[in-house]
Amino acid sequence: MPKTIAVTGGKGGTGKSTISTLLAIGLSKEYRVLLVDADADCPNLHIILKAKRKLLSEVKQTIPKWDFSKCIKCGKCSQVCKENAIVFVKGKYPIFVKEQCIGCNACRIICPTKAIGKAEQKIGAIYFSEINSLNLSNLHLISSEMLITYEETSPIVNALKKEVSKFKDKYDFVIIDTAAGTHCNVISALLGVDFALAVTEPTPLGAHDLSLILSLTKKLNIPAFVLLNKANMAKSKAEEIKSIATQFNTEIVSEIPYDKKIFEAYSSANLEKMPESLYKPLIDFIKKK
Amino acid sequence: MKTITVSSGKGGVGKSSITAIIALYLARKQNKQIVYADCDVDAPNAHILLNLKEKDFYEKEEIFASEKATLIAEKCIHCRKCVSEDICNFNAISWNKEKNIPEFNKYLCEGCGSCSLICPAKAIVLKKVKNATLRIAKTSYGFPLVTAQLEIGESGSGKIVTEVRKRAEKLAEKNKADLILIDGAPGIGCPVIASIQGTDYIVAVTEPTPAALHDLSRLITLAKYFQAKTGIIINKYDLNLKMTEKIETYAKEQNAPLLAKIPYDERFIKSLVWQDEILLQTLSETYVPDILKAIKSIQSFSI
């Protein structure tokens, strides 16, 4: 069984993707690592790793399809749809707004004449990449991507996790990079991991959002540890981060300083060239854990 | 009255800081009546940037924007229809063999009501769930802030954003405001769609990194779908001039004009870390006039 770690943080831009990539690169020197991009809204790891993505599977959603020859224009389907995806005007056939549909079965269940069947719509895709270009043969990437204009991210994250569960046993570590925020897509990514790494920065915003994400991991019963990124940005605020960690019965397991070199490496997609000394304490912690 | 949404795709590129300086400038220098709406309900931060204290909030309201399935156990006739195929598409129901009743995973339940519709004994009902607290504050800059915080472990961010916008609109009407300024969430999913739907103008903030450009392109595609006028700001542009050039080329191709290039300016971090209002004011006077000018001259959109 591999060890599964989620890299999360609440706030955007604290360095989640950078940290999960560095962690994956570092661990892959000794172990087989599967890096998972669960930010289906805006997946970036394939760009950071200059990886060519191969389509693994399409994520599809069941949507209703009306057989108007059976439809009696009762409007019940429109009444039960919580997402306002079915517009009904008296005396007319229902109009379907597919972008609003979340793919539940309510309309099909309620229809008294069985006039509603099933169709499918594509809502996203799952990709697999080998990172051969960087000579990181022990590292594989699996990423999710939501179709633009679709609203619900969590079904794509759930499909991603299903794919991951199919072949995760081939790996020693599974590292999941979550989206920013704290709602369903992040919750779906966090469920079932062994522990979470909350990446934060020493600013009032970082502190605020760290409390949010630690409250969430606590509620989900997931052990969480704090990684303080850009640690030297404001020394006094680092104390505040420490006290939040203590409040949640956890600790700062590693600090990474703000370094222009990291930004440059990140912005030119060359993270693999960063010296390992920079993040070695983190790797050591993960190995021991 | 107009609505402007500041959005970015990628998080942490400077959305909230740029929204804050635009608000400050309009309120302080142009005497505009604005309403500030923090629509990043997962991790709202505007109240911190605007240095608000608990006492500044004068209104508080609990939002019940979603529903979850719950079982009335004594009514259950153990028919297992709710766990049969083609009922719950979200894997939120499992059968508890010991108790011989269904169990609902509240984190996965979308509140669609399919299980409640199939249940012949009416043993499954949908219950409204408190999923956010909405608050309104008066800021020291004169304008009000409408903000909401998603309950930990809950979902429905898009619906909460819609509530925040409704309240902001009400307030704007009452105050005869010129503008609602929305600070959006990262990503392109439900909270972002709820933030940009029906808005008059989108300010898309990005930074010179391949990841930010990729996320920007996803946001621009979304904005086009909603036919919203959009302009781009490259923040910290001088950190990677090559990438900045790439973004400029992309902006041209997409017909989404470049409004401003803001250099890496440590004062942004300082103003944030020390919650320094005077510094924030200085930053607003440094960068906002050009942004507003650009929006007006390029897209003849004036605030």
Side-chain angles (χ1 to χ4, degrees):
Chain A
M1 276 285 276
K3 208 177 278 174
T4 306
I5 304 150
V7 180
T8 187
K11 187 172 162 8
T14 57
K16 278 180 300 299
S17 303
T18 304
I19 300 297
S20 36
T21 305
L22 288 176
L23 192 57
I25 291 174
L27 287 169
S28 73
K29 288 175 184 156
E30 269 178 77
Y31 303 96
R32 293 160 301 169
V33 181
L34 180 63
L35 183 57
V36 182
D37 195 340
D39 185 357
D41 277 28
C42 292
N44 284 331
L45 297 184
H46 63 288
I47 292 170
I48 295 174
L49 282 165
K50 287 181 283 205
K52 252 207 190 109
R53 295 188 298 179
K54 268 184 250 158
L55 183 71
L56 193 62
S57 61
E58 286 191 334
V59 187
K60 286 180 182 149
Q61 179 197 57
T62 312
I63 54 170
K65 192 181 175 198
W66 279 260
D67 176 354
F68 289 142
S69 68
K70 290 185 188 166
C71 176
I72 53 167
K73 300 177 189 169
C74 68
K76 280 189 179 153
C77 52
S78 168
Q79 281 164 23
V80 297
C81 179
K82 303 272 180 195
E83 305 299 322
N84 302 317
I86 305 168
V87 183
F88 177 69
V89 181
K90 236 181 169 174
K92 301 242 164 81
Y93 291 120
I95 299 162
F96 180 53
V97 189
K98 69 174 196 292
E99 289 82 2
Q100 301 273 80
C101 177
I102 62 163
C104 77
N105 289 301
C107 54
R108 268 193 301 282
I109 294 169
I110 201 72
C111 178
T113 58
K114 294 203 163 56
I116 307 177
K118 283 195 223 170
E120 272 183 340
Q121 72 172 347
K122 191 188 153 189
I123 58 172
I126 311 292
Y127 298 93
F128 184 83
S129 321
E130 287 173 350
I131 322 289
N132 292 335
S133 57
L134 301 179
N135 254 336
L136 298 165
S137 55
N138 267 338
L139 172 61
H140 293 157
L141 169 70
I142 181 164
S143 43
S144 56
E145 185 169 294
M146 180 174 74
L147 200 79
I148 301 174
T149 71
Y150 186 67
E151 295 201 20
E152 293 278 315
T153 321
S154 56
I156 294 132
V157 178
N158 290 333
L160 170 73
K161 291 191 82 172
K162 230 181 222 169
E163 288 288 354
V164 168
S165 68
K166 276 187 209 159
F167 49 90
K168 69 173 183 197
D169 289 336
K170 286 192 221 157
Y171 299 91
D172 304 305
F173 286 96
V174 175
I175 296 168
I176 303 178
D177 185 25
T178 82
T182 58
H183 73 274
C184 55
N185 54 342
V186 177
I187 296 174
S188 296
L190 287 173
L191 287 173
V193 303
D194 292 312
F195 64 92
L197 201 58
V199 181
T200 189
E201 59 182 33
T203 66
L205 308 190
H208 177 259
D209 297 350
L210 176 67
S211 324
L212 292 174
I213 200 76
L214 290 180
S215 308
L216 179 64
T217 49
K218 190 178 161 191
K219 193 157 194 180
L220 300 175
N221 268 325
I222 296 169
F225 302 94
V226 178
L227 183 127
L228 183 59
N229 197 15
K230 311 176 199 173
N232 50 349
M233 217 157 83
K235 283 249 160 65
S236 60
K237 288 286 162 189
E239 283 304 313
E240 200 180 326
I241 301 290
K242 210 174 270 176
S243 79
I244 292 170
T246 314
Q247 234 177 70
F248 283 91
N249 271 326
T250 183
E251 55 183 326
I252 299 177
V253 293
S254 182
E255 293 186 13
I256 293 184
Y258 176 78
D259 190 328
K260 231 179 163 181
K261 269 187 231 138
I262 303 182
F263 182 85
E264 279 162 8
Y266 167 74
S267 79
S268 54
N270 277 322
L271 275 179
E272 78 285 356
K273 289 187 187 145
M274 288 316 299
E276 207 191 302
S277 56
L278 214 64
Y279 54 97
K280 190 157 186 311
L282 176 65
I283 303 276
D284 290 342
F285 168 79
I286 299 289
K287 276 199 246 172
K288 261 190 283 162
K289 202 60 214 168
Chain B
M1 193 201 15
K2 285 167 181 160
T3 308
I4 294 185
T5 303
V6 182
S7 204
S8 71
K10 186 166 167 6
V13 296
K15 233 182 341 331
S16 299
S17 294
I18 287 170
T19 314
I21 60 170
I22 293 176
L24 251 63
Y25 188 83
L26 290 171
R28 283 264 170 95
K29 288 284 154 183
Q30 298 198 334
N31 287 319
K32 297 275 187 199
Q33 283 290 329
I34 64 168
V35 174
Y36 198 125
D38 190 348
C39 288
D40 184 359
V41 299
D42 278 31
N45 287 149
H47 62 288
I48 303 172
L49 274 159
L50 298 169
N51 217 350
L52 292 173
K53 303 279 173 292
E54 211 43 54
K55 62 170 176 38
D56 300 319
F57 289 91
Y58 62 86
E59 214 179 307
K60 198 172 160 180
E61 193 192 323
E62 296 186 333
I63 306 283
F64 292 80
S66 31
E67 295 177 302
K68 302 251 153 154
T70 40
L71 181 75
I72 307 170
E74 58 273 22
K75 283 194 180 173
C76 177
I77 54 166
H78 322 289
C79 68
R80 290 179 173 239
K81 278 200 173 142
C82 55
V83 286
S84 55
E85 208 173 308
D86 275 349
I87 302 301
C88 181
N89 279 356
F90 309 103
N91 299 320
I93 316 177
S94 54
W95 195 261
N96 184 324
K97 279 182 193 154
E98 251 168 57
K99 293 184 188 156
N100 201 25
I101 52 167
E103 260 177 4
F104 302 91
N105 182 327
K106 63 179 177 183
Y107 299 118
L108 297 176
C109 176
E110 290 274 348
C112 70
S114 295
C115 54
S116 134
L117 291 171
I118 202 75
C119 177
K122 292 196 168 59
I124 303 171
V125 289
L126 290 181
K127 272 205 179 138
K128 289 238 176 224
V129 194
K130 178 189 164 191
N131 50 2
T133 306
L134 181 148
R135 299 192 299 164
I136 305 177
K138 195 170 162 36
T139 67
S140 58
Y141 308 99
F143 54 79
L145 167 76
V146 185
T147 179
Q149 169 70 60
L150 177 74
E151 284 287 301
I152 299 300
E154 289 301 332
S155 279
S157 301
K159 286 172 185 160
I160 299 161
V161 168
T162 306
E163 289 300 318
V164 171
R165 286 188 63 180
K166 267 193 217 157
R167 289 307 299 266
E169 272 156 32
K170 238 195 224 166
L171 205 57
E173 255 166 52
K174 200 179 115 202
N175 297 357
K176 299 198 169 57
D178 307 293
L179 175 77
I180 297 173
L181 190 60
I182 295 176
D183 183 5
I188 58 161
C190 66
V192 177
I193 290 177
S195 307
I196 67 174
Q197 237 164 357
T199 194
D200 297 296
Y201 197 89
I202 298 172
V203 175
V205 183
T206 189
E207 64 179 21
T209 64
L213 171 58
H214 174 252
D215 297 352
L216 173 74
S217 73
R218 287 175 69 75
L219 176 68
I220 297 286
T221 310
L222 184 69
K224 278 197 175 151
Y225 182 82
F226 287 106
Q227 297 175 341
K229 268 190 184 174
T230 308
I232 296 170
I233 293 179
I234 309 177
N235 195 17
K236 316 174 208 171
Y237 83 92
D238 50 342
L239 287 183
N240 186 334
L241 292 172
K242 236 174 153 182
M243 271 313 300
T244 291
E245 225 172 87
K246 262 193 190 165
I247 297 172
E248 286 179 87
T249 313
Y250 168 80
K252 260 190 213 128
E253 282 166 14
Q254 295 298 315
N255 248 331
L258 184 68
L259 302 174
K261 290 195 280 188
I262 298 178
Y264 178 75
D265 188 335
E266 274 205 334
R267 291 178 298 176
F268 274 107
I269 297 174
K270 280 189 185 143
S271 74
L272 197 78
V273 171
W274 308 115
Q275 292 175 285
D276 186 335
E277 290 182 25
I278 297 164
L279 198 53
L280 204 60
Q281 181 73 34
T282 313
L283 285 164
S284 86
E285 285 163 31
T286 313
Y287 296 116
V288 181
D290 287 344
I291 298 172
L292 297 180
K293 236 185 268 162
I295 297 179
K296 197 175 174 184
S297 68
I298 304 169
Q299 282 162 315
S300 48
F301 183 86
S302 59
I303 297 152

